[in-house]
Amino acid sequence: MSDVNLSEINSLARQLVHDLVPYASARSSMSGGAIWLNANENALAPAYQLDGTFNRYPSCQPKAVINAYADYAGVAAEQVLVSRGADEGIELLIRSFCEPKQDSITLCPPTYGMYAISAESNQTAVNKVLLLNSESLDLPGIFATNPKLVFICSPNNPTGDVIAQQQIIAVLEHFNGRALVVVDEAYIEFAPEASVVPLLSRYPHLVVLRTLSKAFGLAGLRCGFTLGSVDVINALKKMIAPYPIAEPVAQIAAMALSAAGIAQMQQSVATINQLRSNFIAVAQHLPGVSRVWPSNANYVLLQVTDAAECVSALIKEDILIRNQSSQLGLSQVVRVSIGNPDEMQRLITAMQNYFLNDKRVSA
């Protein structure tokens, strides 16, 4: 047996690894519960059947998936890269365009945490320019930075706000020839009219991130897409692993992007949007809820009297929601993913009981 102990092994790790605080995903930070409304998953999950054997290596960029997504998004196949979720797209963009210890990215908190973590793991500095009122871009603040990549999440996670397209165009104009502007559209199917994909033909430095995890109900598939100019996509192809998409993933993705799969997704989105509207109407009248963000995604952000206590109270009812109070620019907020009709009714009942019995707000 080796006499090398664990502390000696740890000493071999890079200092960056010792210092890095990993992303706390909803699944890793919370467990248990019967109703999971903490990870922005689609509870209206489709079912698919696999076909074939899997003894051969898959294609790096499976044509059936690439072509289907290109048709769905309205772009050329050469403008599409498929990856292990949009998270890999974020990492590839930073690794491909940012020189470690030299370049920086700009992001706009409160927003998705993986932009910063992917940058930090690549020794890339992070400029943080807070959203104004947690809903619109601080353009002068963004323009004061000198990044290689600007990340804009729209609809934004966790607020659900759509960033005005004129603001995104202003960022594109300012950074033309100087930086890539990356618009994360993970939740765009819930507000398709807000997509910036039509701008790709005008701005070759625009990049759009997409996923099958949300509206398509395939979070477990880990399948995302990067849309951009041919030059951007070719750069990412040089950095991506040889076989990023498993054959079963490719098969299911192709089925999800068929006409029938897209129709099923759109019906799911319509149901979720209605459930979201119903929940917002209730939440706005709950004592102890001081603000409800007008969401354009499959979740709703609420400002409450005590976020940690609210989460704990719902855990006792076997319901998981997410405390987002640690996000820059936010305080005492919880994010509620929209579940199926039965889950939402149980949530509403539990929240009504909690807030009506909270002596700090019901007195």
Side-chain angles (χ1 to χ4, degrees):
M1 174 180 283
S2 171
D3 58 359
V4 177
N5 62 39
L6 186 59
S7 63
E8 289 174 328
I9 295 296
N10 287 338
S11 71
L12 299 175
R14 297 169 62 194
Q15 186 60 44
L16 181 149
V17 174
H18 286 294
D19 297 340
L20 190 67
V21 178
Y23 180 70
S25 69
R27 191 66 68 244
S28 66
S29 60
M30 301 182 77
S31 60
I35 298 177
W36 294 355
L37 304 178
N38 62 327
N40 298 347
E41 297 155 329
N42 186 341
L44 309 178
Y48 296 101
Q49 296 294 321
L50 295 175
D51 180 30
T53 57
F54 307 111
N55 61 312
R56 303 294 185 188
Y57 285 113
S59 169
C60 176
Q61 295 291 293
K63 287 185 178 181
V65 177
I66 294 292
N67 291 338
Y69 202 86
D71 287 344
Y72 167 68
V75 298
E78 295 77 18
Q79 293 179 273
V80 180
L81 182 94
V82 61
S83 61
R84 290 167 290 192
D87 288 338
E88 186 178 28
I90 295 167
E91 181 186 359
L92 287 169
L93 284 163
I94 293 171
R95 287 172 53 211
S96 300
F97 290 93
C98 295
E99 288 287 353
K101 299 183 179 180
Q102 294 183 28
D103 292 328
S104 68
I105 69 167
T106 293
L107 50 86
C108 304
T111 194
Y112 184 43
M114 278 306 298
Y115 312 136
I117 289 176
S118 291
E120 290 162 5
S121 67
N122 195 59
Q123 297 180 295
T124 298
V126 179
N127 312 304
K128 297 179 180 180
V129 181
L130 268 65
L131 293 173
L132 300 175
N133 198 32
S134 303
E135 61 187 10
S136 62
L137 299 179
D138 175 0
L139 293 177
I142 293 172
F143 295 164
T145 65
N146 185 32
K148 272 290 189 72
L149 300 172
V150 180
F151 284 93
I152 299 170
C153 190
S154 181
N156 186 42
N157 179 12
T159 62
D161 293 299
V162 165
I163 303 300
Q165 191 163 115
Q166 283 307 118
Q167 285 203 313
I168 295 175
I169 290 173
V171 174
L172 285 164
E173 292 286 350
H174 179 83
F175 287 104
N176 190 9
R178 298 165 52 194
L180 297 183
V181 177
V182 184
V183 180
D184 188 341
E185 292 189 344
Y187 301 92
I188 199 63
E189 281 81 10
F190 299 98
E193 69 283 353
S195 177
V196 297
V197 166
L199 298 178
L200 284 169
S201 60
R202 288 168 49 190
Y203 298 101
H205 60 302
L206 171 63
V207 182
V208 179
L209 296 171
R210 294 283 191 86
T211 184
L212 298 185
S213 293
K214 311 303 180 183
F216 283 89
L218 292 170
L221 206 62
R222 305 308 300 128
C223 184
F225 299 88
T226 303
L227 312 179
S229 68
V230 174
D231 287 342
V232 167
I233 298 304
N234 285 342
L236 303 184
K237 286 180 177 178
K238 291 181 180 181
M239 298 295 284
I240 199 168
Y243 310 111
I245 302 300
E247 178 60 26
V249 171
Q251 286 190 24
I252 294 172
M255 287 186 277
L257 293 165
S258 67
I262 291 171
Q264 184 176 22
M265 175 274 291
Q266 291 170 336
Q267 181 56 54
S268 172
V269 165
T271 300
I272 290 169
N273 282 348
Q274 184 59 58
L275 289 168
R276 183 191 67 211
S277 296
N278 295 345
F279 174 71
I280 288 175
V282 172
Q284 287 173 332
H285 294 93
L286 288 174
V289 176
S290 56
R291 181 178 178 183
V292 181
W293 273 256
S295 176
N296 293 276
N298 67 333
Y299 51 86
V300 179
L301 190 70
L302 311 175
Q303 189 164 46
V304 298
T305 304
D306 188 323
E309 187 178 277
C310 180
V311 170
S312 296
L314 291 179
I315 287 175
K316 294 175 183 177
E317 301 297 325
D318 260 357
I319 300 171
L320 302 184
I321 63 173
R322 192 156 196 200
N323 188 345
Q324 292 279 19
S325 302
S326 63
Q327 290 257 18
L328 285 175
L330 296 176
S331 176
Q332 300 300 343
V333 292
V334 294
R335 191 191 66 197
V336 177
S337 305
I338 303 301
N340 64 40
D342 290 341
E343 291 171 336
M344 295 309 295
Q345 187 54 58
R346 284 187 58 181
L347 171 71
I348 288 170
T349 299
M351 293 190 78
Q352 287 173 330
N353 290 338
Y354 165 68
F355 284 112
L356 291 173
N357 290 323
D358 188 340
K359 293 182 174 57
R360 291 171 299 180
V361 297
S362 60

